[in-house]
Amino acid sequence: MKDFNELLSRNGRKGHKWISYGTAGFRDKAIELQHIMFRMGILATIRARVVKATIGVMITASHNPEEDNGLKLIDPKGEMLDPTWESICTHLANISDEELLNAINSLIKEKGVDMKDEANVYVGRDTRSSSDRLCKAVIDGIVAGEGSAHDFGITTTPQIHYMVLCVNTNGEYGEPTENGYYRKLSEAFIKLNGQNGAQVVSNNYVPSVVVDGANGVGAPKAKQLKQFLGNSLNMEVINDGNGVLNENCGADFVKVQQRAPKDLHFEVGKRYLSFDGDADRIIYFYKNSDDGLFHMLDGDKIAVLIASHLKQLLTSAQIADIDLCIVQTAYANGSSTHYIENTLKLPVHCVPTGVKYLHHRAQQADIGVYFEANGHGTVTVSHTTIDRIKQVSNDVTLKLLTFIDLINQTVGDAISDMLVIETILRSRGQSIQEWDQLYTDLPNRNIKVCVKDRNVVTTGDAERKCLTPIGLQDRIDAIVNKFGVHSRAFVRPSGTEDAVRVYAESTTQEKADSLAKEVAEVVSELAESVPNK
Ligand code: 16G
Ligand code: MG
């Protein structure tokens, strides 16, 4: 350890609050996080030595309010941290300053790490005012762990995931720089959409989008991308940093509130989309010309669009025996699952909430399309599948390979997803309204219930069944039955907030609302009545 005491004194633990490495890493009020950042910097150097590769650290709290912050660790293939290391992170985060050095030394010993080996860590951060200070704490940790930090400054979360994979494949996946990222995506986009795509209307597809940047990192990055896209797409960026991060804007706001973000001149005929605060989620929306109302196209509709396009390409390339599937969570709208099974006729898998589960399941297929309803998702394509596609050399396979280049396969990426969606809509000559008509979402409602201890609620069957408190599932079943066909509800403890979430869907909004309310009442009754652990 280098200058350990001095670096520790700058990044000492101030309070006693317990914190765990949750669904998407650590997340809390930024003022609680300084010591966590330092410790994770050290841990990152150990992890990099264990896996003998560059790993990543991203400082962000995504769609949370500006005063929050967080940290995610990124493994060598650009994927989320190996889950078996999450408890190590949690342990290191919660011990006292006095215990820290011993704990680190035990970890080094346990993992058989030679601290003389090199340890490279890529670091990125979002635009939060606390991110710069917290980034310095991470770098202090990397210095203490005698590793090398490559500080990329302000980046989207998916950009760091991408660059980690690039460097670990020696550039095979792409150049590990921000410009390399824009170049790869924009070159593929221009190849598929034309240098002057911005001027070419294709049937009902108009090549213009309005991007809600959530007043976060996605806004400046979308503007940077614009330089690379040249005249291939018209893009107007709003909520570009002048307002408060994620406040009344961004993908999470639009999805949860089911309405357009602030500062938007909402017009019929335009195509809008929202990024979240770290640009790893995307939601499309528009004003419908028939009813003049807000309509939203979430992760489910995006997954269906992408999977059906891939299926079409594979069929016309005559390599249809490729195993293509869609991965969803219990939050996927019932209509989307029905459409995938009955119209697209593709296998669909349901996994627990959290990108790591979706990503992992998708990777088991030749081509896996995964999306959470909240707009986080991407496509994974196995190496053997790429090789197979390459072997069949024709116009369609060339197009398919270029299309795959548009995708950031490491994690959901709002920028890459936008380019993928725009490409598909153009190739189909479709308006957003036509895309929306693939199927009609069942009305649904998401609510939060605060209980004494959310951990008394445990689930199985990919969160679709409640295991404890005993009796809760039977009560939910009885309520759901009253609401009749196409009604569904489930509950799960949040992985990011101290609450239990209730999801309900039914044939009308009124029914979905009442169903959610009735289930929430039973949750508070049964969860409250179970003593704290
Ligand atoms: C995190 C997850 C997201 C999930 C959400 C659920 C990652 C990178 N992000 O943001 O996938 O949908 O948590 O939050 O895994 P909840 O547990 O509070 O409902
Ligand atoms: Mg996010």
Side-chain angles (χ1 to χ4, degrees), residues 24 27 60-64 72 157-158 275-281 376 412:
R27 222 175 261 190
T60 181
S62 182
H63 55 280
N64 285 31
K72 294 182 202 186
T157 296
F275 291 174
D276 75 335
D278 62 339
D280 64 355
R281 292 190 193 175
H376 185 114

Side-chain angles (χ1 to χ4, degrees), residues 310 314 322-325 362 365-369 379-382 385 389:
L310 282 167
L314 289 167
I322 278 184
D323 150 40
L324 166 68
C325 77
D366 294 337
I367 303 183
V369 179
V379 181
T380 61
V381 187
S382 75
T385 307
I389 299 171

Side-chain angles (χ1 to χ4, degrees), residues 45-52 113-115 117-119 145-146:
T45 67
I46 300 173
R47 176 82 188 143
R49 290 179 176 110
V50 168
V51 292
K52 296 189 179 1
V113 165
D114 183 347
M115 291 300 276
D117 288 350
E118 63 168 19
E146 296 175 51

